[in-house]
Amino acid sequence: MQSGIGHLLGDCQRTMVLHCILYLWLFSGWTVGFKQGDNVSLYVNKVGPYHNPQETYHYYTLPVCRPEKVHHKSLSLGEVLDGDRMAESLYQIRFKENTEKKTLCQLTLSEKQVDQLREAIEELYYFEFVLDDIPIWGFVGYIEESGFLPHSHKVGLWTHLDFNIEFNGDSVIFANVSVKDVKPVPLEEGAGAAVGGVGVGGGSLTVTHTYSVHWFESLLVLPKTLEIHWLSIINSLVLVVLLLGFVIIILMRVLKNDFARYNVEEEGGCDDLDQGDNGWKIIHTEVFRFPPYKSLLCAILGVGAQFLTLATAIIVMALLGMFNVHRHGAINSAAIVLYALTSCVSGYISCSFYTQINGQRWVWNIILTSSLFSAPLFLTWSVVNSIHWWSGSTQALPATTVLLLLGAWVLVGFPLTVIGGIMGKNRAGNFQAPCRTRNIPRQIPPQPWYKHTAVHMAIGGFLPFSAISVELYYIFATVWGREHYTLYGILLCVFAILLSVGACISVALTYFLLSGEDYRWWWRSVLSTGSTGLFIFVYSVFYYRNRSSMSGLVQSTEFFGYSLLTALVFSLMLGSVSFWASLAFIRYIYRSLKMD
């Protein structure tokens, strides 16, 4: 074992308080109250490598104490998606009643079972129990590394657990498990060796599992992470102020000079303006020329609008206290339902704009819109789920859950996309272009290197990413670690700043593009800030290598597979925002050509 792991074990495993303190953000999130002596159900859930949170297996796959007949708890959709497989345990916990060293069971382990426990302990397996919706984490065993010459490597099994539970009134608000002042049972190579109360015989090992329960009355304490998150807010606010000031300078000073130069005494419309000038005015007959790949562009705008609606709804619901860190999978369930229900948004936006820009194949546009994200999602999930199924992980979805999700898309998501598309097609108006477009496209002059697409994508992607880079760490630590994110108000501010930065930088880059007499802004506006997704994926690679200890095929496949999907979602959202911002800006400046 590496010395770093040995240090981790020395500091963490002896106390075994593994980030188990969970606080309630709102009083309304408390569970149903208990009375003195009421049974408080403790469910066993899953085990897995500590550094690979998504590589989990059912707790009863280990040779541990279990009922004669295992009864599983009925789970919500979000809990199943989160890999939860809760089952009843033998632990008997009564509300506000202490228990001292009560025997749970006595097990006789075969040599194979001892080796299985040794392997799990050496891979830093942790377990997760659930007490009144509060997850409790702890290590299965203990590893001790000492000396270089001679080198010793000891593996021990925790056979006694101390449950420390805090209550407020009639509600459980805190739970953790500790092995402080408890000695582990050594597991030597092969079954047989034992000390102190552990029986040995015939290649088997007999261990007795015990537990204690201690109740403490406590007041509600809120998380103390607000000061750290202010770094994210300050970083984002400084950036958005600078960008807003930059865009305002363009609109108020540069455009004012442009209008003064372009708005000469013209009796005709903007089609009759002097063709001898240069700059963005000279391409007024080209700037509203519809782009190639209309259907794909409209599908991106539609799905981007859908995810904007979905993300805003999730954050607002969380801000209103509808989610709680104690509720397993609540956000997952809400995201699935909202994704299906907001499909009408993508269909409406996509087909409406597709009709405005003279698209003819509206049926194909609806199909493309409905599959633009769902197809990559299904492909990624198929690979990830197959690997989980092959490894026996609880993250592999049961067949019933797969059918439920498929039914939600077939019966709700896709029909709503079709309905929204039909409504958008029927209600679509004119495109509202201030200037007419010539039949023959104008030749675009050579552009300097700093106006090329790659440069604009680098600038347009980096600035929005820098606005959320600090907060992104906390989100990754929540999704791919064991942190619990509760500061949804700050998240809403950062999300609004992200959209503002994306819109501002898109307007600025579009102006520079048009000033070079390049009218190909349609796709450029989508790609410029849509490239933020690429920066987010690069950050995910950095996080995997430098900020986490994740490893293995199962964890790596899930991490990079869903990181790609996350990058795609950000690209669609910001690409949609930047396009509409650029379109509004272009309409404004070309309408203003006739103004004094």
Side-chain angles (χ1 to χ4, degrees):
M1 301 289 291
Q2 298 178 357
S3 59
I5 295 180
H7 179 72
L8 169 66
L9 295 173
D11 290 344
C12 296
Q13 287 188 337
R14 287 188 176 88
T15 59
M16 211 171 178
V17 182
L18 307 174
H19 309 293
C20 300
I21 303 175
L22 300 177
Y23 296 97
L24 294 177
W25 184 247
L26 296 172
F27 284 88
S28 59
W30 284 358
T31 55
V32 178
F34 295 98
K35 296 181 181 179
Q36 177 82 28
D38 284 353
N39 180 62
V40 182
S41 298
L42 177 68
Y43 293 96
V44 298
N45 193 11
K46 50 194 176 183
V47 294
Y50 177 74
H51 296 299
N52 291 349
Q54 277 66 44
E55 183 183 348
T56 55
Y57 309 94
H58 198 283
Y59 180 74
Y60 285 147
T61 58
L62 293 178
V64 293
C65 298
R66 71 177 68 192
E68 293 184 2
K69 185 177 181 181
V70 177
H71 296 279
H72 287 84
K73 180 185 178 182
S74 178
L75 302 176
S76 66
L77 174 61
E79 291 171 332
V80 175
L81 294 175
D82 201 38
D84 291 340
R85 303 293 186 268
M86 299 182 205
E88 294 180 357
S89 69
L90 294 175
Y91 294 97
Q92 295 180 358
I93 299 178
R94 304 288 180 181
F95 187 66
K96 294 197 292 187
E97 291 187 0
N98 294 332
T99 301
E100 293 295 338
K101 205 165 186 180
K102 184 174 182 179
T103 299
L104 185 66
C105 75
Q106 188 177 74
L107 292 177
T108 300
L109 304 174
S110 65
E111 183 175 353
K112 182 179 180 181
Q113 290 174 324
V114 173
D115 291 340
Q116 182 183 1
L117 285 173
R118 281 183 56 85
E119 182 181 356
I121 294 171
E122 289 182 343
E123 293 183 4
L124 298 181
Y125 267 42
Y126 75 103
F127 61 80
E128 180 180 295
F129 296 162
V130 180
L131 176 74
D132 191 36
D133 288 332
I134 302 176
I136 303 175
W137 297 325
F139 280 114
V140 173
Y142 170 73
I143 301 177
E144 181 179 354
E145 300 276 356
S146 62
F148 180 70
L149 287 175
H151 174 71
S152 64
H153 177 72
K154 298 180 181 179
V155 178
L157 173 68
W158 298 117
T159 58
H160 178 81
L161 299 178
D162 283 323
F163 291 95
N164 302 304
I165 309 172
E166 292 187 8
F167 65 93
N168 185 286
D170 58 358
S171 301
V172 177
I173 65 170
F174 163 94
N176 80 341
V177 62
S178 174
V179 290
K180 188 177 182 181
D181 300 328
V182 177
K183 292 184 178 180
V185 173
L187 300 179
E188 304 297 339
E189 289 290 345
V195 294
V198 181
V200 180
S204 62
L205 178 66
T206 301
V207 295
T208 301
H209 288 270
T210 59
Y211 67 99
S212 300
V213 180
H214 301 98
W215 290 86
F216 305 93
E217 187 171 8
S218 178
L219 297 177
L220 184 67
V221 182
L222 295 180
K224 297 182 180 180
T225 57
L226 187 61
E227 294 182 1
I228 299 176
H229 286 258
W230 280 116
L231 294 175
S232 175
I233 291 292
I234 294 174
N235 173 70
S236 302
L237 282 177
V238 169
L239 181 61
V240 76
V241 167
L242 291 175
L243 281 177
L244 281 174
F246 183 60
V247 172
I248 290 174
I249 289 175
I250 291 178
L251 294 178
M252 301 301 295
R253 296 180 63 87
V254 179
L255 284 178
K256 182 179 180 180
N257 294 333
D258 288 346
F259 292 149
R261 180 162 54 94
Y262 292 155
N263 285 336
V264 293
E265 296 181 358
E266 299 288 343
E267 296 296 330
C270 61
D271 289 334
D272 300 325
L273 289 176
D274 184 13
Q275 300 299 313
D277 289 330
N278 54 14
W280 56 265
K281 186 268 295 185
I282 200 172
I283 57 172
H284 65 277
T285 58
E286 309 291 341
V287 74
F288 294 105
R289 184 181 302 279
F290 298 145
Y293 311 109
K294 298 178 183 178
S295 188
L296 179 58
L297 175 66
C298 295
I300 291 174
L301 300 180
V303 179
Q306 178 186 2
F307 278 110
L308 281 172
T309 307
L310 172 62
T312 304
I314 289 290
I315 296 175
V316 170
M317 291 171 65
L319 193 60
L320 294 176
M322 301 180 67
F323 306 129
N324 194 283
V325 292
H326 286 223
R327 303 299 181 183
H328 281 233
I331 293 183
N332 291 341
S333 300
I336 294 295
V337 174
L338 288 175
Y339 176 76
L341 295 179
T342 55
S343 297
C344 58
V345 175
S346 63
Y348 182 89
I349 297 295
S350 176
C351 209
S352 175
F353 194 70
Y354 184 68
T355 303
Q356 290 182 29
I357 60 176
N358 299 333
Q360 303 298 323
R361 303 173 62 188
W362 64 273
V363 175
W364 164 248
N365 175 252
I366 292 177
I367 296 175
L368 180 60
T369 302
S370 64
S371 58
L372 184 62
F373 178 77
S374 58
L377 173 63
F378 178 77
L379 179 61
T380 303
W381 170 83
S382 298
V383 175
V384 173
N385 197 69
S386 298
I387 294 177
H388 280 304
W389 175 82
W390 172 76
S391 65
S393 171
T394 59
Q395 298 288 336
L397 298 184
T400 52
T401 304
V402 176
L403 292 176
L404 177 62
L405 295 175
L406 182 62
W409 186 81
V410 172
L411 300 178
V412 180
F414 183 72
L416 286 179
T417 306
V418 175
I419 294 174
I422 294 175
M423 292 178 60
K425 176 180 178 298
N426 293 334
R427 296 187 178 184
N430 298 324
F431 179 69
Q432 298 179 355
C435 303
R436 292 195 300 268
T437 302
R438 286 182 173 181
N439 295 329
I440 301 176
R442 178 187 179 90
Q443 185 176 1
I444 301 174
Q447 300 294 315
W449 64 270
Y450 54 83
K451 290 189 177 182
H452 288 177
T453 303
V455 178
H456 278 202
M457 290 178 63
I459 298 174
F462 175 75
L463 291 176
F465 169 77
S466 64
I468 62 171
S469 58
V470 177
E471 199 70 16
L472 204 59
Y473 168 79
Y474 297 102
I475 296 175
F476 270 67
T478 300
V479 175
W480 302 109
R482 293 172 183 82
E483 301 296 333
H484 293 274
Y485 196 99
T486 55
L487 303 178
Y488 300 112
I490 290 180
L491 183 62
L492 180 62
C493 293
V494 173
F495 183 66
I497 290 173
L498 172 66
L499 301 183
S500 302
V501 171
C504 291
I505 194 63
S506 176
V507 169
L509 293 176
T510 299
Y511 173 80
F512 289 134
L513 183 71
L514 298 181
S515 64
E517 301 178 14
D518 189 345
Y519 51 83
R520 298 170 299 182
W521 65 272
W522 298 76
W523 278 105
R524 184 73 69 88
S525 64
V526 174
L527 294 175
S528 59
T529 54
S531 61
T532 305
L534 296 177
F535 285 88
I536 291 177
F537 182 75
V538 172
Y539 176 82
S540 69
V541 176
F542 168 80
Y543 181 87
Y544 182 88
R545 292 176 57 88
N546 300 95
R547 293 291 183 265
S548 75
S549 300
M550 294 183 284
S551 62
L553 177 64
V554 176
Q555 180 69 37
S556 301
T557 303
E558 174 154 340
F559 179 85
F560 288 109
Y562 289 123
S563 293
L564 280 172
L565 290 178
T566 302
L568 176 61
V569 169
F570 273 90
S571 296
L572 293 172
M573 283 197 306
L574 293 177
S576 180
V577 169
S578 62
F579 175 84
W580 295 115
S582 295
L583 178 60
F585 170 73
I586 290 174
R587 282 174 171 166
Y588 165 75
I589 62 174
Y590 282 99
R591 283 198 192 99
S592 301
L593 279 176
K594 298 180 182 180
M595 298 174 58
D596 293 331

